[in-house]
Structures are given as structure tokens and as C-alpha cells.
Amino acid sequence: MRKLAMRNTPWPAWAMLFSGLLLTVAVSLEVKKHIEQEAVAQFSFICDQVLVNIQNRLSANALLLRSASGLFAATTGVNRQSWQRYVDTLDIENNIPGMQAISFAVIIPKTQLAAHIASIRAEGNPEYTVSPDGKRAQYAPVVYISPRSTRNQRVLGYDTLAEPVRRAAMEKARDSGAATLTAKLQLVQENGKDVQAGVILFVPVYRTALVTATLDHRRQALTGWLASVYRMNDLMTGILCKLSQFKAVNLQIYDGLNTVPANLLFDSKTGHQTDVLFHQHRTINFAGHQWLLSFDQGTAAVSYRDLWAAIFGGMLLSGLLSGLMRQVSNTRREAISIAEKLTAGIRSHEVLLFESEQRLKLAVDGAGDGIWDWNMVNNAMQFSPLYMSMLGYTADELPSHADTWLNSVHPDDLERVQQNLADYLSGKLPGYYIELRLRCKDGRYKWILCRGKLAAQDKSGKPLRMIGVHSDISVRMRVEKQLSDLLVFNRTILEQSPCGIVVFQADGACVMANQAYASTLGTSVAMILAQDFRNNPSWQRNGLLTFANRALGSGQVISEAVEGITSFGKKVVLECVFTPLEIAEKSHLLLITNDISARVKADSVISETLLQLEKKELAKTRFLAAAGHDLRQPLAAANMFIYALRHSGLTAEQNELILSLMLSMSTFKALLDSLLQVSRLDSNVIKPEYSLINVAELLIWLEQNFSALAGEKKLRFKLYFPLNARLTIQSDIGLLKSVLINLVSNAIKFTPAGGILVSARRRGGNILFQVWDTGIGIADEKVELIFEEFFQINNPQRDRTRGQGLGLSIVKRTLALLGAKAQCRSKAGRGAVFEFSLPCSEADPLEPQQEGGSFSEQAFVQGKCFVVVEDDLLVTQATVAWLTVMGAKVASFQSAEAALQHADTEQADYYIVDYMLGGTLNGIQCLKRLSQKSKTPVKAVLVTGDTRANFMQEVSNFAWPVHYKPVNVNALLDSLKVQD
């Protein structure tokens, strides 16, 4: 039956079956090839990532050693403590996984070996010795090593020059000045358990003061070697632990380029792997040494799921097609069902193929690198979109030619790039790896890491195709440049700063100081670095420790001035600023000092000078007050006698004499009143009483009082102020009138011809007052002097008709009290203008109240009973004579005690009491006791010639009016009348 069925099968069905199977085989082979190509690309990518990670870690560790050599270059003497502080900041076990130790070996001539051993033992290492034993010309024992583990302590004292492998690398590093890696060796740290291959990276340390330009110079300047020690299994575990995709790859690292077991440094898998599918090599040329990286990947890492799907799908498809041809007579539904199944199978394979391509694209794009593909036969070069985007171009914007890439290389990098490419193509370099600058679309240059590999060669070895990737490293290069510039910037500031700068750890140890700080304290930087501020007696003695603790405890900046003697015997006066800092999660203290000895000395001189000036000013004021008092007593008596004479029935001729006498007394009184006004201003007795003032009315008042005086000298007297706008200020009307009276009086007095102009105008928010004259003017060099007391121009004879030289001084003081300043502009022989400004007010002034009419002096006094208490006999006689002539009854006493004891004293209508009396009580005390005894209010005035500042302040709030001698009798009687 089976044979019959086969015979009945038409030949097209067999042809379709065989064609389908052949097509299935072809498709399966293509799918297998694609899977393996994708696996190879992924395997190459993993190999490159491992290579880059190893190179980056080794470069970082070499840079670390270089920074450690900077510690020796920046510090004149590195001791065990400073070494340990530096290594502690590195935190090797946490920050640098895979590094067994970092150490320093010092070079010791054989003549100094015994002294070296003794010095190390004196530092607290009694069992220290140099090993292995034996006599050698030079020794290089390890004196510092960290971390302080049990393994590492075995290396202390080990002579690294005694072992050939180490010695070869050390001598190469010494002669070249570069970091040098040893060949494979067994570390001294190994204790028989988990023994691993080891390597050591050496960096030479030279004396900073010596030249290292030539080989001989470097050998003479050598002081020792810094070394970082690696156990290869630990190192590679630390590097590869974060590469999850590495688990499917086996890595073997060989010392040199020969893959013999003796050169094996590291093997990621134990045992022999028989199912190796892929194998690639990479070479690392680092620190003068080469490593060969051998990568293997077994079949288990490759998934053939898509292949089997293609095989079974193709077989099924072939069978279905064959069955379709054989069963052509089946229903149409069955034919459509079979066609749908075929279509679904094809689409499934397309989806699988698309997903595979997408995974490859994501792997490339995920690395963030741009890809280039160079056809070296026709010089065509294809660029990936990420490559073009990296340089600022859009897709397909760059010409597909190798010259496109070459022309974008920075001119300074072009020769180096071409040489590197030539060395790689000639076999001198194991791989194409270079950092260069490429020009972007906007013309800027960007730092790029370029890596490439030959992808195809002809039978003769001629390169046909090269593929590579570009990585953007501009950020890394910019950060490295910024760090380098910042280091130079900070170092320059530190060295050139005139201020002392020092940094301590919170526990007291000094970690950094500049020369200015050391010079200020009278010592060297090395001595400062050896200090501990918490155990420094001078810090405790001068209070610096207290300020430091306060700054560290509060977290705030503390600024204090400190005077004392340093630990080095130098006397200093410093301004100190204590600033708490947080560096590497550890508390530090920054101290900035500034020598202020000269400033303190200058301040002392200035303070002493000011004190002397104050004493002189006070003495002058006291003299004026005392002189004024002594002059006022006889003047007061004379004044009273004159008033008495006026009411004694004189002839016309006698009245003229009395008027002349009154004019002389008026001049004398004006002088004393000016002195009194100066004293009142100096003693701050005068307090402004502010009110709204109509400026126009004030100027009209001036015209009414001075136009006649100006007319007597045939001078024009004019006012200027706006008529269409009201000018209002808020000030003290009495003080302001005093200022204007002085200025206008001076203008009339010193203007022989011409005129006077008084103006008031708005200037912004102020009213500008000006008094112009066409008088004699003032020389430029004397303008500032005219506001001083008693200064007069062209009056050496002190002619009293020309004033006393106090008017402008009073103007200056009064305006200062009102918050203004007097200014003068003048030309000698052409007149002057005096001006000042007061704030303008928008409020309307109140209408002035009409003053009451005057009263008759004699009618007020006549029939009244007066008590006069005055110790000066002449003044008493004058006052009694004046009141008696006016028709008053007068009782006089020379002391307060006598007045208080008299029975009729309390019955008086009015009291005129002098302040300074002959008894134990003064006038104020007299009036207070009299007020306590009297059942009715006491109506009195206090008269005095005392113009001392403190006295004037004392009586400024006195209950009774105070009049200063010589007394104006009208004002005195007014003060008594208002008390009725």
C-alpha cells in the first residue's frame, strides 16, 4: 500500500518536497551564520569592554601613585603620620578594590643601613630589620605600607632591589621617570593560602629641589619608589564584578605575548573547556609592559533556538506544500488554512530576524558610541547616525568618504593620528586606540576616543576593511583640564596671599599652611605642619583654642583680634578668622590671619589725638562760659541802672546820653548773647520745635525788618519767590529766623554799594534759601574758615561795629540742628551767596494767631511787692533802684537762707532770684523750698550769668523761666505777667 501511495504521488509534489527541504537547509545555514555573526559581535563587544575597564583601572591606579608622589613633592618632610593621614583619605579597601597595598621604599646606601634601621626602630618599630640578608651596594627597604593588614606587615623592611624582577622594573622607572609595571612574580604578602600571581606598579620619587632633565640627573635625584601591589585574582575580580555580560566569557591573562602556563596571570574559570566556539586576543601595553588577554566562549553561550525554528518550520513548510500538491482535491477551506499557516510561519521568522537586528542595534547604541566602517579598497567610509549626531550632523549629512574623517581631525593631532594608524596597520601596535580632537559642524572641536580593528584582509595580508567606534570623552577631558587649572589656581592663591592661611584637622593636626602664616608667626612652614593646635601652649595662652572650639562647635565663622606672643617668641597683633570646614566627611578648621599691628598702633595714635582735641574744645567752652558769667554781673547791674534812670524824669540832653549808653550796652550784650547761643548749641539745650511755615510770609517778615536798614546804606533789598505756588516747610520758626537774620545782617554789613537779594525756590523735594549780596566778597582760601568762631575777614583791629565773628558759626550749628548745611560761593570784590536747603512740605500752614497788645511796664510793676535774692551788691542795688522807680515795694536778700527765714517773704507778689548765691542754697533750691512753704503758686524768674553746657541742660526743663544776664527787663516782666 505504501509503495502504491508513493507511485500515486505526482512528481510535482516530490519536486516541491525536495525543493522545500533544500530551501530549508539554505535558510537554516543562513540563520546559523547570522546567529554566529551576532554572537561574534557581542563577544567582541564584551572583550573590548573588559579591555577598556582593565586599562581604565590601571591608568587610574597609576594616576593615584602620581598624586601620592605629589605628597612628597609638596611637602619637604613626609613622616609616618603624614603618610598615614594621606593614605587614610584614599580609603583603599573601599575605594580601590583589588589593590593589595600602596607602599613607599626608600633608597639607602650601604653606609647608612645601620642608621636607617635605628631610626625606624626609634619610631616605634623595635623588630624592624632589612631583609633578605646580604651585603649590597644599595638597599630599597619598604618603610611605609598601607593598609596595615597582617599580609602587608610582612613586607615592612623588605629590600625590593634584592629581587631581580622588582629591581628591573624599579631601575626602568628610575631612569625613565615614568610608572613601570613588573613582570609576573610572587608577592611577599603570600602566606601559602590562596596563592595568586602578583604584579607591582612602581613610580619613582625624586627630590623636588634637583633637576631631573637627564638620566644622570634622575639617578642622582632619586629618593625612593612608590608602589601599588596587586594580587591578580583580587584585582580582576574588582574590575570585572560589575560586568554582568562577562559571565559567559572565559578570560586568561598572560604576562607578555606567549600563552605558556608559566606566564599565566589570571584565569576566570577553572578546568579545561572543550566546547570553545569563539576565541579572540587583546593586548594591553601599559607602563612599559605587555599583557595578552585571551578570551574564549563556549557553545552554551550561543542560542540556536532560531536555527531549530527555521529547520522545523522549513521541514513543516515543505511537508505542507507537498501535501498540498498531493491533496489538491481537498476542499478550499483546507487549502486556505494551510496557506495561512505558511504565512504565519514566514512572518514569525521575519519577526525573529527583526528582533535579532534590533538587539544588535540596541547593544551598539546603548554603549553611546558612534560606528564607522572603512572600505580601504575604494576609500569609502560609512558613519552611523550616532557618529554624525556626536559631531552635530544629521543623518546622511556627511560624505561617505575617508577624507571626511581625516579632514575633521585637529591640525595639531593630524600627524600623531596618521602615525598611530600607520603603526597599527604595519603591526607595530596590537590595536588602533587614540585620543584626538574632531571638528564639529559648528566649527568647535570635541575630544574623541577612537578605537578600530581590521575586519578583512586579502590573502597577502593587505587590509581591505576596518571597523571602529568613536566615544565622546570631551566631558572627561574638560573635567581633567578644570581640575588641573583649579589646582594651579589654588596653589597660586595660597602661595601669593599676603594673609596667613592654615588648615587643621578637628583633632588638632595641621594639614596645610602657607608661607605668609609661617612668616607671621616667625617660623617655617615645616614647623607649622608639625604643630597640633590642641596641644599648643600659645593657643591656650592667647585664647585661640577657645575661639577654635567655638567655631567647630557652632559651625559658624568666628572673627577675633588676638594679641600675644607666638610659640616661636614673636609678639603679634592678629585679626583671626576661624572657619569650620567639612572635607572628605571630616571636620577641619580653616584659620586666616592678618597682621594688624600697624593699624592698632595708628588707631591708638588717632584715639589719643581725638581725646586731646576734645579736652581742648571742652576747655574753650568752659572758658567762654566762665568769661561770660564774670562779664554779665557788672553788665546786668549797669543795665538795671540805665532802666532806672529812664524813669527818673531826665532832661532831653540826659535822654540822648542814656540812649547812647544803651546803644553801647546793646553792642556788649549782643556779644554775650552770641557766646550764650554758641554754648546753648554746644550743650544740645536747644531742641527744635517743628511747625508748618509759609515761606512767603517769612521772607516778607525779613523785608519788614531789614529794608529800612538797607535803605540807610542806600542798598536795594529785594525778595524772590514764586507767586503762583505756595512754598511750605516744616521747621523751627525761631531757629530759622535766627539763621536768616544772621545772613541778612552780614550781607548788609559787608555790602558798601549795590543790593541784597533773598530768594526761595523749589529744588526737587527741597526749598533752596539763598542770600545774595554785591559786597566785598570772600577769597577762595577763606571760604571754609568763615564758619569758625571769632573768624573775621579784614578786621585785625576787632572793630566791634563789624560784629564779633560768631554769626556764621551760629548759623552752621543751628542748621546742623535742623538737618541742613550752610554753603558759600563767592568772588573777592564781586559779592557772595549763602545758601541752604530744607525739605518741602505739601501741608498748608495754620493761620498765625494775633499776638496780644503790649502792656505798660510801670502799670504792671506799680504797687506790687517784689523779693530780690541776689548776692552781688551792685546788681541788687540796680534792680532795687529800677523797681522802686517804677513804683514797686522791694525786699532784697543776699542769700536764700535769709530770704526763707524772713516772715514777709511768702507774702510777695513776684520773686527775682539769682542762681549763684552766697549761702549753701542756690536759686533753684530756694524757689523749690519757697514753693513747698507757700500755699499759692510762686510767681518767679531765675536770673543767672552761668552759661556752662551742663547747667543749661539742667535748667532746660526748670519749672520757672530762666533769664541770662544782662537781663532784658521787658522780657523779664513778660515772664512774670504770663504767670498771673
Side-chain angles (χ1 to χ4, degrees):
M1 290 295 293
R2 184 176 181 182
K3 292 181 178 179
L4 181 61
M6 292 179 65
R7 283 198 300 270
N8 293 333
T9 302
W11 68 268
W14 289 108
M16 179 61 67
L17 177 62
F18 288 125
S19 299
L21 292 176
L22 289 174
L23 181 61
T24 299
V25 171
V27 170
S28 300
L29 290 175
E30 190 64 27
V31 171
K32 180 176 181 294
K33 179 180 177 182
H34 178 74
I35 291 173
E36 290 180 349
Q37 286 178 345
E38 182 180 352
V40 168
Q42 181 65 21
F43 177 60
S44 297
F45 176 74
I46 294 173
C47 296
D48 290 339
Q49 289 296 309
V50 171
L51 176 67
V52 170
N53 276 269
I54 294 174
Q55 288 176 327
N56 289 344
R57 175 60 60 84
L58 292 177
S59 298
N61 291 348
L63 184 60
L64 173 65
L65 282 186
R66 281 296 182 190
S67 69
S69 67
L71 173 67
F72 288 83
T75 308
T76 55
V78 176
N79 53 31
R80 196 170 301 279
Q81 289 74 23
S82 59
W83 165 268
Q84 194 58 45
R85 285 197 299 270
Y86 172 77
V87 174
D88 287 346
T89 61
L90 299 179
D91 195 5
I92 294 174
E93 295 177 340
N94 295 322
N95 294 331
I96 315 175
M99 182 184 287
Q100 175 64 29
I102 181 172
S103 65
F104 175 68
V106 63
I107 187 166
I108 305 295
K110 65 180 180 179
T111 57
Q112 300 177 10
L113 180 62
H116 165 73
I117 294 173
S119 67
I120 299 298
R121 290 178 177 177
E123 293 177 0
N125 300 281
E127 299 180 358
Y128 174 83
T129 187
V130 175
S131 63
D133 296 333
K135 295 183 179 180
R136 294 178 286 277
Q138 283 185 330
Y139 300 82
V142 176
V143 293
Y144 304 143
I145 186 165
S146 293
R148 297 181 176 179
S149 62
T150 304
R151 285 180 182 268
N152 289 338
Q153 288 303 309
R154 299 175 50 168
V155 183
L156 196 63
Y158 178 75
D159 181 9
T160 51
L161 283 175
E163 195 272 321
V165 176
R166 291 176 175 82
R167 183 174 63 251
M170 294 167 70
E171 290 176 348
K172 185 176 180 181
R174 175 200 64 194
D175 294 343
S176 65
T180 305
L181 190 68
T182 67
K184 175 182 177 182
L185 49 77
Q186 181 170 340
L187 301 175
V188 180
Q189 283 91 338
E190 299 296 348
N191 56 10
K193 298 179 181 179
D194 186 26
V195 177
Q196 301 178 19
V199 293
I200 303 175
L201 182 64
F202 287 100
V203 169
V205 177
Y206 301 107
R207 296 182 182 89
T208 56
L210 298 181
V211 179
T212 57
T214 66
L215 176 62
D216 289 339
H217 289 160
R218 288 191 287 273
R219 290 183 176 180
Q220 293 175 5
L222 183 70
T223 62
W225 290 268
L226 283 163
S228 55
V229 183
Y230 309 96
R231 302 176 79 222
M232 285 300 297
N233 289 359
D234 296 343
L235 174 64
M236 299 310 300
T237 300
I239 295 175
L240 302 176
C241 63
K242 295 183 180 180
L243 297 176
S244 58
Q245 66 269 37
F246 177 73
K247 296 178 181 179
V249 177
N250 178 34
L251 170 63
Q252 292 177 323
I253 301 178
Y254 293 91
D255 183 20
L257 302 180
N258 294 325
T259 57
V260 297
N263 291 351
L264 183 64
L265 291 171
F266 171 74
D267 193 344
S268 63
K269 289 185 171 59
T270 58
H272 182 64
Q273 187 171 355
T274 59
D275 59 342
V276 174
L277 183 63
F278 304 118
H279 181 78
Q280 290 189 9
H281 284 169
R282 299 286 189 275
T283 303
I284 294 178
N285 189 355
F286 176 74
H289 208 74
Q290 286 186 325
W291 285 356
L292 180 65
L293 277 63
S294 177
F295 297 91
D296 294 329
Q297 189 173 51
T299 56
V302 181
S303 174
Y304 288 99
R305 182 183 60 184
D306 294 344
L307 173 62
W308 290 113
I311 292 173
F312 288 118
M315 293 176 64
L316 178 61
L317 179 62
S318 299
L320 290 174
L321 289 175
S322 177
L324 178 65
M325 297 294 291
R326 188 177 59 186
Q327 299 178 4
V328 68
S329 60
N330 286 349
T331 63
R332 185 172 181 274
R333 181 181 299 173
E334 292 176 346
I336 293 174
S337 176
I338 293 172
E340 289 176 349
K341 290 180 181 179
L342 287 172
T343 303
I346 293 172
R347 288 178 178 174
S348 175
H349 287 85
E350 289 177 349
V351 168
L352 291 175
L353 182 61
F354 177 76
E355 290 178 349
S356 176
E357 292 175 349
Q358 287 298 310
R359 284 197 297 273
L360 177 60
K361 183 176 183 300
L362 289 174
V364 172
D365 292 344
D369 296 334
I371 299 177
W372 49 268
D373 188 344
W374 181 17
N375 187 332
M376 305 177 74
V377 177
N378 58 14
N379 215 25
M381 182 175 281
Q382 301 297 325
F383 306 101
S384 70
L386 192 57
Y387 176 100
M388 290 185 282
S389 174
M390 190 181 299
L391 298 179
Y393 295 95
T394 58
D396 301 327
E397 193 173 355
L398 285 175
S400 300
H401 197 275
D403 290 343
T404 301
W405 177 82
L406 196 61
N407 292 334
S408 66
V409 176
H410 194 285
D412 294 343
D413 298 339
L414 185 59
E415 183 179 353
R416 179 170 56 88
V417 169
Q418 291 175 328
Q419 183 62 46
N420 189 277
L421 180 60
D423 291 345
Y424 169 66
L425 294 178
S426 64
K428 295 181 181 179
L429 295 176
Y432 185 63
Y433 182 96
I434 190 169
E435 294 177 350
L436 70 158
R437 288 166 288 180
L438 291 182
R439 186 176 63 252
C440 299
K441 182 179 180 180
D442 59 7
R444 295 181 299 107
Y445 283 89
K446 179 178 288 188
W447 277 100
I448 300 294
L449 171 61
C450 180
R451 292 163 290 172
K453 281 284 185 181
L454 284 173
Q457 296 174 296
D458 63 10
K459 295 181 180 180
S460 65
K462 180 180 178 181
L464 302 177
R465 183 185 180 193
M466 188 172 177
I467 299 176
V469 295
H470 276 186
S471 301
D472 186 351
I473 60 171
S474 54
V475 174
R476 191 197 80 192
M477 298 297 289
R478 184 165 60 252
V479 170
E480 290 178 357
K481 179 65 167 56
Q482 290 174 348
L483 289 174
S484 176
D485 292 345
L486 183 60
L487 180 62
V488 173
F489 179 77
N490 291 340
R491 183 178 299 165
T492 302
I493 290 177
L494 186 66
E495 293 175 354
Q496 301 298 325
S497 173
C499 297
I501 303 174
V502 62
V503 178
F504 297 94
Q505 291 182 350
D507 59 7
C510 179
V511 297
M512 186 276 293
N514 68 349
Q515 184 59 46
Y517 181 81
S519 300
T520 299
L521 269 62
T523 185
S524 64
V525 173
M527 294 295 292
I528 297 297
L529 292 173
Q531 283 193 332
D532 183 329
F533 78 80
R534 295 197 176 277
N535 299 320
N536 191 325
S538 70
W539 276 59
Q540 299 172 359
R541 182 175 63 252
N542 297 324
L544 292 169
L545 183 59
T546 301
F547 303 141
N549 288 334
R550 192 195 309 167
L552 290 170
S554 64
Q556 297 179 346
V557 177
I558 303 297
S559 180
E560 296 287 347
V562 176
E563 180 176 2
I565 299 176
T566 69
S567 301
F568 309 98
K570 183 178 179 181
K571 185 175 181 180
V572 294
V573 182
L574 301 177
E575 183 178 44
C576 301
V577 179
F578 300 83
T579 304
L581 301 174
E582 195 74 18
I583 303 175
E585 299 183 355
K586 293 184 178 180
S587 295
H588 289 72
L589 178 68
L590 168 65
L591 172 58
I592 300 177
T593 63
N594 186 22
D595 190 345
I596 58 172
S597 345
R599 190 179 76 191
V600 170
K601 184 177 180 181
D603 289 346
S604 176
V605 172
I606 291 172
S607 298
E608 180 63 26
T609 303
L610 290 175
L611 180 61
Q612 294 299 325
L613 289 174
E614 289 175 0
K615 289 180 178 179
K616 291 179 179 179
E617 186 68 20
L618 181 60
K620 182 195 75 174
T621 304
R622 287 174 177 172
F623 168 76
L624 291 175
H629 177 270
D630 293 342
L631 290 171
R632 286 173 188 277
Q633 291 293 95
L635 183 62
N639 206 41
M640 290 297 185
F641 281 126
I642 292 172
Y643 277 102
L645 287 173
R646 288 185 63 190
H647 295 85
S648 60
L650 302 176
T651 64
E653 184 178 358
Q654 289 173 332
N655 274 326
E656 290 181 6
L657 292 175
I658 290 297
L659 290 175
S660 298
L661 182 59
M662 289 182 68
L663 180 60
S664 298
M665 296 301 293
S666 176
T667 303
F668 194 15
K669 183 178 182 300
L671 172 60
L672 292 179
D673 286 343
S674 297
L675 292 172
L676 175 62
Q677 184 76 345
V678 172
S679 297
R680 287 167 60 85
L681 290 169
D682 286 342
S683 61
N684 295 322
V685 170
I686 299 177
K687 303 295 182 184
E689 297 180 2
Y690 290 95
S691 62
L692 291 173
I693 301 172
N694 188 320
V695 174
E697 294 179 356
L698 177 64
L699 296 189
I700 292 171
W701 174 84
L702 274 176
E703 183 182 33
Q704 291 171 351
N705 283 273
F706 286 98
S707 60
L709 183 61
E712 292 178 1
K713 294 186 66 174
K714 298 182 180 180
L715 300 176
R716 297 183 303 277
F717 189 89
K718 292 185 178 181
L719 301 178
Y720 176 83
F721 56 88
L723 297 176
N724 56 351
R726 172 174 288 183
L727 300 182
T728 306
I729 60 173
Q730 187 164 19
S731 188
D732 187 305
I733 183 65
L735 297 178
L736 184 55
K737 284 182 176 181
S738 149
V739 170
L740 291 172
I741 288 171
N742 271 301
L743 294 178
V744 174
S745 297
N746 279 351
I748 294 174
K749 187 183 304 180
F750 295 104
T751 302
I756 312 296
L757 172 65
V758 181
S759 67
R761 290 172 288 180
R762 268 186 180 272
R763 286 292 184 269
N766 295 328
I767 302 297
L768 175 65
F769 290 87
Q770 292 179 313
V771 178
W772 301 76
D773 67 62
T774 58
I776 61 175
I778 306 167
D780 291 342
E781 65 273 11
K782 296 181 180 180
V783 168
E784 293 299 326
L785 300 175
I786 60 176
F787 293 100
E788 302 298 328
E789 296 96 333
F790 303 110
F791 181 81
Q792 289 182 302
I793 300 175
N794 300 326
N795 189 17
Q797 297 84 10
R798 305 298 299 175
D799 182 0
R800 67 177 182 272
T801 61
R802 300 180 63 181
Q804 295 81 34
L806 290 171
L808 290 179
S809 176
I810 293 173
V811 166
K812 176 182 176 182
R813 285 173 163 84
T814 304
L815 286 176
L817 199 62
L818 296 175
K821 181 180 180 181
Q823 293 181 321
C824 173
R825 291 178 284 118
S826 177
K827 291 290 185 180
R830 299 181 61 182
V833 56
F834 288 83
E835 62 185 26
F836 61 91
S837 295
L838 291 173
C840 183
S841 174
E842 300 301 330
D844 291 331
L846 298 175
E847 292 297 328
Q849 297 181 355
Q850 295 296 326
E851 297 181 358
S854 61
F855 66 96
S856 170
E857 300 173 6
Q858 191 165 0
F860 172 72
V861 174
Q862 191 169 15
K864 302 296 193 302
C865 182
F866 285 80
V867 171
V868 177
V869 184
E870 171 66 66
D871 64 334
D872 188 286
L873 183 59
L874 191 61
V875 175
T876 302
Q877 292 175 349
T879 305
V880 171
W882 165 62
L883 290 172
T884 302
V885 169
M886 298 279 288
K889 297 178 181 179
V890 184
S892 63
F893 304 92
Q894 289 188 321
S895 67
E897 290 83 356
L900 293 171
Q901 292 174 5
H902 198 278
D904 296 334
T905 300
E906 297 180 26
Q907 307 302 322
D909 295 307
Y910 304 104
Y911 301 86
I912 301 174
V913 182
D914 186 27
Y915 172 70
M916 292 184 179
L917 299 173
T920 58
L921 299 177
N922 58 35
I924 294 175
Q925 294 168 331
C926 175
L927 287 174
K928 287 181 178 180
R929 292 196 181 186
L930 190 60
S931 179
Q932 293 170 359
K933 292 173 61 177
S934 177
K935 297 178 180 179
T936 59
V938 174
K939 305 171 185 176
V941 293
L942 183 73
V943 295
T944 181
D946 191 349
T947 58
R948 289 176 295 116
N950 57 348
F951 172 76
M952 297 176 75
Q953 287 180 333
E954 179 183 351
V955 300
S956 59
N957 296 318
F958 191 42
W960 290 276
V962 179
H963 289 263
Y964 293 90
K965 299 177 181 179
V967 176
N968 184 307
V969 295
N970 292 329
L972 185 147
L973 294 177
D974 285 342
S975 297
L976 290 174
K977 187 174 187 305
V978 296
Q979 299 179 51
D980 286 340

